[in-house]
Amino acid sequence: RGGTVGGVDGAGRQKPDIVAPGNDAATSYSTANVSGMAALLLGHAYDHPELSQIYHPEVNKAIIMAGATKEDGWANTSSQPLDTVFGAGTANVLNSFNLLTAGQHTAGAAVPATGWDYAEVTPETTACYTFSVPGGEVARSSSIVLTWFRQFGDNPASNNFSDLPTLPDFKLRLYESQLGTMGRLLATSDSPIDNVEHLYLEGLPAGDYTITAETDTTSPYAIAWDNQLSGLPQVVIGAIDPMSGTVSLELANLVIGKSYTLQYSNELSDWKNLFTVTAAAESEPFTQMAVPMESRSGFYRIIWTP
């Protein structure tokens, strides 16, 4: 774990790219899991020619990494795309398979909320992918991975590669957008030493968003984006005891890690806070005790920040 060493691979590049379940054999066992995932994706593409760009290793890598599950404590920054322990997260074969079968979608046009592409970009161009989170829904998580090859040269004198590779410097960004016009910048991944960029956000509200990829050197690249969509958070009213005024509630469709406040009003004004929680699961129970008689007819709402 951690950064690579100078003189071997270029100092500071972040490893691992991804982690996987293991046992006492640790890396040897986990490597077989990820290799099996890669083989499964390739095998499915063998029978579906429209998915054949996954034969490019960059595509397979991007799809596996974008589909990874984030563990507690996972974190990255704009200049460090991967977590120092988990990389892009824990390999998730179902997410990556669904991402593969969402299909290839080219830059310059509207794309689905989940998909991937293999293309080339020059320093004079920007690759743009615009997707939508539909009204009444939220992207519980948004995982975007861009990866490309480093360029190794030969050293005939030593019958080996040259000491260190050259590296195209890509930048990956996510913007709010409307009618094809980019607006507020939401996130940037710009490592000068890695050959992967990664954005991860939670709770994107309904709207349009544009992913951009830029480089300082003409280079092929692979990109994969996975938006896990669901309904908006809501209050589900369960059992009501009219004698005591006790109401059993459930906050549903929550984004894990986000903070929510449940409020109550009997006249759609003068809202009172009942319950604040940082979601540890997709639903959280709450019981409102002894609602005053004059307030037996009322309203609930959730306050949260996407």
Side-chain angles (χ1 to χ4, degrees):
R1 68 186 246 191
T4 54
V5 297
V8 176
D9 198 31
R13 297 179 65 247
Q14 194 61 53
K15 295 295 175 182
D17 290 309
I18 198 165
V19 296
N23 59 9
D24 291 341
T27 302
S28 297
Y29 189 95
S30 298
T31 299
N33 273 287
V34 178
S35 299
M37 282 184 60
L40 182 149
L41 298 177
L42 290 169
H44 183 75
Y46 184 81
D47 293 323
H48 297 82
E50 72 277 8
L51 304 177
S52 62
Q53 293 283 27
I54 198 175
Y55 297 156
H56 294 282
E58 309 100 301
V59 178
N60 208 326
K61 177 180 177 180
I63 288 174
I64 289 175
M65 292 178 69
T69 300
K70 299 299 188 279
E71 304 293 338
D72 290 343
W74 185 94
N76 70 351
T77 67
S78 60
S79 60
Q80 179 189 298
L82 305 177
D83 184 85
T84 57
V85 175
F86 298 107
T90 301
N92 184 319
V93 65
L94 180 59
N95 280 356
S96 292
F97 181 80
N98 289 338
L99 207 167
L100 169 67
T101 57
Q104 181 179 8
H105 302 276
T106 57
V111 299
T114 295
W116 53 271
D117 192 21
Y118 178 76
E120 182 177 273
V121 67
T122 71
E124 294 78 28
T125 59
T126 299
C128 298
Y129 302 83
T130 297
F131 66 89
S132 297
V133 176
E137 296 190 65
V138 60
R140 307 177 66 81
S141 63
S142 301
S143 180
I144 307 167
V145 170
L146 176 75
T147 189
W148 62 99
F149 278 146
R150 295 174 294 152
Q151 306 298 325
F152 286 85
D154 290 330
N155 185 346
S158 63
N159 195 30
N160 206 332
F161 292 121
S162 56
D163 291 340
L164 291 174
T166 58
L167 178 67
D169 185 13
F170 275 84
K171 294 177 177 62
L172 179 66
R173 296 185 175 99
L174 179 67
Y175 294 87
E176 290 179 338
S177 63
Q178 188 174 17
L179 300 177
T181 301
M182 287 181 291
R184 182 167 62 105
L185 176 64
L186 298 178
T188 298
S189 180
D190 183 15
S191 168
I193 54 178
D194 293 286
N195 64 318
V196 61
E197 303 291 358
H198 181 32
L199 300 176
Y200 182 74
L201 301 92
E202 294 178 330
L204 282 183
D208 295 333
Y209 301 90
T210 297
I211 305 165
T212 66
E214 302 171 77
T215 182
D216 64 345
T217 305
T218 300
S219 174
Y221 67 91
I223 187 170
W225 58 96
D226 182 26
N227 289 284
Q228 297 286 327
L229 303 180
S230 73
L232 290 172
Q234 59 180 309
V235 181
V236 180
I237 300 177
I240 300 175
D241 184 339
M243 297 300 295
S244 66
T246 299
V247 182
S248 297
L249 305 162
E250 181 184 14
L251 279 63
N253 289 342
L254 305 183
V255 178
I256 296 173
K258 291 289 184 180
S259 179
Y260 299 86
T261 297
L262 175 66
Q263 296 184 327
Y264 176 82
S265 172
N266 65 339
E267 54 186 13
L268 291 177
S269 63
D270 190 25
W271 290 90
K272 296 179 174 59
N273 293 342
L274 297 180
F275 175 56
T276 297
V277 62
T278 299
E282 294 183 4
S283 64
E284 295 282 353
F286 175 74
T287 300
Q288 185 180 11
M289 306 296 293
V291 179
M293 184 65 69
E294 65 273 13
S295 302
R296 294 292 171 88
S297 176
F299 305 87
Y300 296 97
R301 72 179 184 184
I302 298 176
I303 301 296
W304 71 303
T305 302

